[in-house]
């Protein structure tokens, strides 16, 4: 199915070409016609599947057909779990809307897009809204802060998008949802995107819409299928040495290394920098300017290794990551999928390597079960796993990752 079959307006077709999109991705082929038909959808789509353009293109098409007169009014609202994803989606609206209103196609104009994120002045963001805007992309927390100031008119919203809805649930969005729905007009088109379907998602979906089409490209597994997944058994104290060994042997161009917490991220980045690697850390404690700078350095390939927490595992459009390393395992199987979705994007091949010791065996089995994969354990000469597996006691604490503790949820919230 070519892009031309959607009958997008000429300016949008031009943007598709200038972004070098030749064929719709599988998720785009499924969601675009439904969105253009004004249907409510819930789509299971992973990062790297092209889902952002999958909703941005048809929304720009619908929006540009009926812009209305006078000052711009907020017609499109997109909520996301992270600042980076917010900025990235706002940028996608700008770049795919870049040719709307070119003089030769006079029926529309470029959309005015505003992103609302924490860590930047709320006053400036309010000012941008009040100047007139068509599309708001926001993190849920900052959106509600701005709503609280009662200076944003949401009565014209026609399209509501919840992106990475499963991630939003883990940061407590279900409690904020009522506050959001309360301020939106009841007549609107709802689009939900999520990589996984925890049972809670069904109840969230039913609070948002009663008539929803479910879309899935599950069996195609676009990102995971392109990624070679490896598991290396190693003792925790040897992981850093093993990482250096792999960097030398495999000659990875750009790698993302996931750590359990912010402190570990800073410590290891410092250590690697000291021994001459091009490395830095990226996490929620850095201020927005630092985060933007580090991310740009990595995207521009001026940084080879980015040590990070789960903050960047979702949604971020970092292309060409040749390898993702799970230095520490993610807590949940869903996060595993999101982390490895950073590599093997848009058809490119990638590699994901998880380090596991005795203590992580059970947890990794759970990840394999939930992700429906079975991987062979490797050991690397010089870094072999030594010592004995811990003896299982009866009535031990539940397996890590089965659910998130209250403390973890709060911690995650604090890191956004
Ligand atoms: P996303 O899953 O939305 O984060 O998109 C992943 C990457 O795929 C982004 O760099 C997009 O620009 C790119 N992309 C989206 N749609 C297409 C397409 N039809 N063909 C090629 N690349 C695409």
């Amino acid at each position: 199915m070519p892009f031309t079959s959607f009958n997008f307006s000429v300016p949008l077709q031009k943007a598709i070409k200038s972004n070098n999109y030749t064929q719709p991705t599988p998720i785009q082929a499924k969601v675009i016609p439904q969105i253009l038909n004004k249907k409510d959808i819930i789509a299971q789509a992973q990062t790297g599947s092209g889902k952002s353009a999958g909703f941005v293109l048809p929304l720009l098409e619908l929006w540009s057909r009926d812009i209305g007169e006078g000052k711009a009014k907020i017609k499109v609202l997109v909520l996301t779990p992270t600042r980076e994803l917010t900025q990235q989606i706002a940028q996608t609206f700008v770049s795919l809307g870049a040719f709307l209103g070119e003089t030769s196609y006079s029926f529309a104009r470029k959309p005015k897009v505003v992103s609302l994120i924490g860590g930047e002045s709320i006053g400036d963001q309010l000012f941008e809204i009040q100047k007139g805007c068509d599309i708001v992309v926001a993190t849920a927390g900052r959106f509600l802060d701005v709503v609280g100031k009662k200076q944003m008119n949401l009565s014209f919203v026609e399209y509501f998008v919840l992106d990475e809805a499963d991630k939003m649930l883990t940061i407590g969005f279900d409690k904020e949802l009522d506050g959001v729905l309360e301020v939106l007009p009841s007549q609107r088109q709802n689009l939900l995107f999520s990589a996984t379907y925890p049972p809670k998602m069904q109840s969230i979906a039913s609070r948002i819409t009663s008539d929803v089409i479910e879309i899935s490209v599950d069996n195609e597994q676009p990102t995971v299928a392109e990624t070679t997944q490896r598991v290396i058994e190693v003792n925790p104290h040897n992981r850093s040495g093993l990482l250096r060994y792999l960097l030398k042997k495999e000659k990875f161009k750009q790698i993302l290394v996931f750590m359990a917490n912010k402190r570990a991220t800073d410590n290891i980045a410092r250590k690697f920098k000291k021994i001459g690697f091009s490395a830095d850390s990226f996490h929620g404690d850095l201020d927005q300017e630092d985060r933007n700078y580090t991310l740009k350095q990595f995207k521009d390939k001026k940084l080879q290794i980015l040590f990070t927490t789960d903050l960047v595992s979702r949604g971020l459009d970092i292309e060409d990551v040749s390898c993702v390393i799970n230095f520490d395992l993610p807590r949940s199987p869903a996060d595993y999928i999101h982390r490895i979705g950073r590599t093997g994007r848009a058809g490119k091949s990638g590699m994901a390597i998880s380090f596991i010791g005795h203590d992580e065996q059970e947890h990794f089995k759970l990840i394999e079960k939930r992700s429906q994969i079975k991987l062979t354990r490797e050991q690397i000469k010089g870094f072999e796993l030594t010592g004995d597996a811990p003896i299982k006691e009866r009535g031990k604490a539940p397996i890590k990752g089965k659910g998130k503790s209250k403390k973890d949820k709060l911690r995650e919230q604090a890191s956004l």
Side-chain angles (χ1 to χ4, degrees), residues 3 16 19-25 27-28 46-55 57 85 88-89 92 163-164 223 315-319 342 345-346:
F3 268 114
I16 290 167
N19 274 274
N20 296 320
Y21 298 171
T22 45
Q23 276 289 111
T25 63
I27 188 73
Q28 288 168 353
Q46 296 175 355
T47 61
S49 60
K51 68 179 162 62
S52 315
F55 65 81
L57 280 168
L85 185 58
Q88 194 180 298
I89 291 172
T92 307
D163 198 15
E164 308 264 358
T223 53
L316 269 192
D317 184 18
I318 302 175
E319 287 178 74
R342 316 309 324 151
R345 281 163 81 74

Side-chain angles (χ1 to χ4, degrees), residues 16 134 303:
I16 290 167
D134 305 293
L303 256 184

